[in-house]
Amino acid sequence: MALLVQKYGGTSVGSIERIEAVADKVVAYKDQGNDMVIVVSAMSGETNRLVALAQEISPQASGRELDVLMTTGEQVTIALLAMALEKRGYAAKSYTGGQAKIVTDNNHNKARIKSIDHQNIQRDLDAGRIIVVAGFQGVDEESNITTLGRGGSDTTGVALAAALKADECQIFTDVDGVYTTDPRVEPEARRLITITYEEMLEMASLGSKVLQIRAVEFAQKYAVPLRVLSSFEEGEGTLITTDYETDKTMEQALISGIAFNRDEAQLTINGVSDTPGVAYQILGPISDANIEVDMILQNVGADGSTDFTFTVHRNDYETAMASLEKTANQLKAREVRGNNRIVKISLVGVGMRSHAGIASRMFEILAREGINILMISTSEIKISVLVDEKYLELGVRALHEGFDLKSE
Ligand code: ADP
Ligand code: ASP
Ligand code: MG
């Protein structure tokens, strides 16, 4: 007998028929003798609908009230799934994040889980109940409702699995595993049997939304066995695991996957003086405005002046631009330029560590397609390039083919 934590995403609970199908699946696992904790998302499209309602009232709605609003989506699905389980003759109990005692910090809209007191859930499990927990939500120390950032139900699943010491955390979604790249962009993408936590972390942070990055961080930190599977069809899915196990079982691939991010925007300030403190003068106000900077590039100075380029999330483009223009005036810079029609494409693989020449091969493939690279950044296990958004599909497919990632 095992304890399984299963998370079902928005599409998997997107209609009454889908919720009934999930209930059938869950009772089949229960009948095999497993203890079951189920985490569900809101029905697909619901969180977006709620956000749009808030926007109609006020684009500046407070984080606290947004959280009160957004968490209603998951409250609907926990109740419906628990009812569907009861209808099948199984004892089930729904829990909101607060009832599950998922305590977070008070950072509304992107709260972090601090602790989970799982005593009540454990007691209900021991009594044979199937537990249904609302994903994406918690409460802070003052009982304010919080949310964990978009896609946060994955993190609820992994955190519960860690707290309850579950045998596996299974993320059921609308694809049957983690692929070499998003199968919606490259239909010939290949499902990975395993991927390391480290690579999955990199893929998630570079834009692969199949798992929320914090869920992977949590799984790695607490060594939670994590699997991504389809809720629509049977299969093994993809196991996220440690380097060690992967190395033992198979030869390490050079590249595991290609991630991309459509949310990028680039800003450049030209002709600032090449003196100590300039980077701080430019980026200080950006960080004060709570804007996260991703890639940064400073040119080699010439004639006492230099250029400085960085990227931010597209949603922050206008605010960052306004801040940069102010800084440019103060620094008497020559000009400020920006581009919010760009995307980032990244190659990810722990196999890169021991192989030279991957970057140049990447640049060669992109050059052959006539794709101009706007910016480059590398780390031990990834190479990212910034390109015009019109080249996203072409670039991803060319790299997928060029690095031989297709299905056998
Ligand atoms: P859920 O609602 O179940 O949480 P998501 O939409 O958040 O589902 O995540 C699943 C989606 O992630 C897939 O439909 C797919 O388009 C996308 N995706 C992006 N990169 C990958 C990848 N490398 N492998 C599999 N799916 C990916
Ligand atoms: N419903 C939330 C969202 O759409 C959380 C999730 O689905 O994981 O972001
Ligand atoms: Mg998701």
Side-chain angles (χ1 to χ4, degrees):
M1 196 176 88
L3 167 58
L4 299 179
V5 174
Q6 298 187 331
K7 177 258 172 177
Y8 291 88
T11 331
S12 306
V13 293
S15 64
I16 293 300
E17 293 73 41
R18 288 301 313 155
I19 292 174
E20 299 271 19
V22 167
D24 285 338
K25 223 174 157 67
V26 170
V27 302
Y29 278 98
K30 178 75 180 160
D31 287 346
Q32 287 163 15
N34 300 300
D35 282 339
M36 303 299 293
V37 175
I38 312 301
V39 174
V40 283
S41 291
M43 295 166 85
S44 57
E46 180 61 11
T47 312
N48 287 345
R49 188 185 73 87
L50 294 167
V51 171
L53 286 180
Q55 288 276 332
E56 278 187 49
I57 297 278
S58 161
Q60 274 91 42
S62 69
R64 183 184 189 282
E65 300 314 326
L66 271 172
D67 281 348
V68 172
L69 178 71
M70 284 195 290
T71 48
T72 60
E74 272 73 10
Q75 193 165 333
V76 170
T77 41
I78 52 169
L80 291 175
L81 180 58
M83 289 172 198
L85 292 166
E86 284 175 344
K87 185 172 80 176
R88 284 161 177 75
Y90 290 77
K93 188 164 164 187
S94 67
Y95 277 78
T96 62
Q99 289 169 336
K101 297 198 176 3
I102 299 175
V103 176
T104 71
D105 60 23
N106 60 5
N107 225 328
H108 285 290
N109 309 157
K110 44 175 185 276
R112 278 183 182 271
I113 296 175
K114 289 167 72 174
S115 66
I116 299 181
D117 176 356
H118 60 277
Q119 267 184 27
N120 292 350
I121 290 181
Q122 190 63 58
R123 199 192 51 226
D124 277 328
L125 274 176
D126 293 342
R129 296 195 176 92
I130 300 174
I131 312 299
V132 184
V133 183
F136 175 57
Q137 55 179 265
V139 288
D140 71 8
E141 311 265 10
E142 261 92 59
S143 302
N144 295 297
I145 295 174
T146 55
T147 60
L148 310 176
R150 298 304 304 269
S153 299
D154 297 337
T155 303
T156 306
V158 175
L160 276 170
L164 293 161
K165 302 197 170 43
D167 293 281
E168 193 163 277
C169 179
Q170 304 176 331
I171 307 287
F172 285 90
T173 182
D174 54 7
V175 278
D176 65 347
V178 178
Y179 276 69
T180 45
T181 193
D182 190 339
R184 289 181 208 285
V185 167
E186 171 52 283
E188 293 200 61
R190 177 170 48 89
R191 179 171 59 85
L192 300 164
I193 313 272
T194 62
I195 182 169
T196 65
Y197 290 114
E198 203 183 359
E199 287 168 322
M200 194 62 239
L201 211 53
E202 204 73 49
M203 292 276 282
S205 69
L206 294 167
S208 297
K209 290 183 179 126
V210 58
L211 282 174
Q212 199 199 31
I213 176 164
R214 284 190 188 166
V216 188
E217 277 170 6
F218 230 101
Q220 183 174 32
K221 186 164 171 197
Y222 295 99
V224 177
L226 181 61
R227 194 183 287 277
V228 175
L229 313 112
S230 165
S231 67
F232 295 80
E233 53 193 90
E234 294 296 310
E236 294 288 294
T238 300
L239 181 68
I240 293 96
T241 179
T242 57
D243 293 31
Y244 178 59
E245 283 170 74
T246 313
D247 283 344
K248 251 193 341 192
T249 51
M250 64 168 81
E251 199 187 327
Q252 188 60 60
L254 219 53
I255 308 294
S256 290
I258 302 172
F260 53 82
N261 188 347
R262 303 179 202 261
D263 300 326
E264 300 273 329
Q266 183 188 41
L267 296 97
T268 299
I269 180 165
N270 284 331
V272 289
S273 75
D274 189 17
T275 46
V278 164
Y280 174 65
Q281 280 172 300
I282 294 168
L283 292 181
I286 302 284
S287 121
D288 291 345
N290 238 329
I291 296 175
E292 248 178 72
V293 172
D294 181 16
M295 295 163 123
I296 303 174
L297 181 86
Q298 185 184 322
N299 281 353
V300 177
D303 309 327
S305 91
T306 187
D307 308 327
F308 199 90
T309 301
F310 58 95
T311 65
V312 298
H313 192 286
R314 252 183 223 191
N315 292 349
D316 294 324
Y317 179 63
E318 270 84 27
T319 319
M321 196 46 129
S323 158
L324 192 62
E325 271 161 0
K326 227 160 98 193
T327 310
N329 272 336
Q330 288 159 5
L331 297 180
K332 299 191 174 43
R334 200 168 55 246
E335 66 168 342
V336 169
R337 284 181 297 134
N339 185 356
N340 63 352
R341 301 246 157 269
I342 51 167
V343 293
K344 184 166 72 177
I345 304 179
S346 310
L347 294 180
V348 176
V350 292
M352 263 185 225
R353 278 203 182 107
S354 46
H355 283 81
I358 293 180
S360 66
R361 206 155 119 207
M362 179 184 199
F363 305 154
E364 186 196 346
I365 292 165
L366 295 173
R368 227 171 27 223
E369 302 293 336
I371 300 175
N372 190 35
I373 299 171
L374 306 169
M375 238 168 139
I376 300 167
S377 101
T378 64
S379 79
E380 261 201 315
I381 67 162
K382 73 116 205 279
I383 306 169
S384 301
V385 294
L386 214 59
V387 300
D388 191 302
E389 68 177 9
K390 70 176 181 238
Y391 293 129
L392 175 70
E393 280 81 11
L394 179 66
V396 168
R397 288 182 197 154
L399 290 168
H400 199 267
E401 162 100 54
F403 280 95
D404 224 9
L405 298 178
K406 288 194 175 183
S407 333
E408 272 92 58

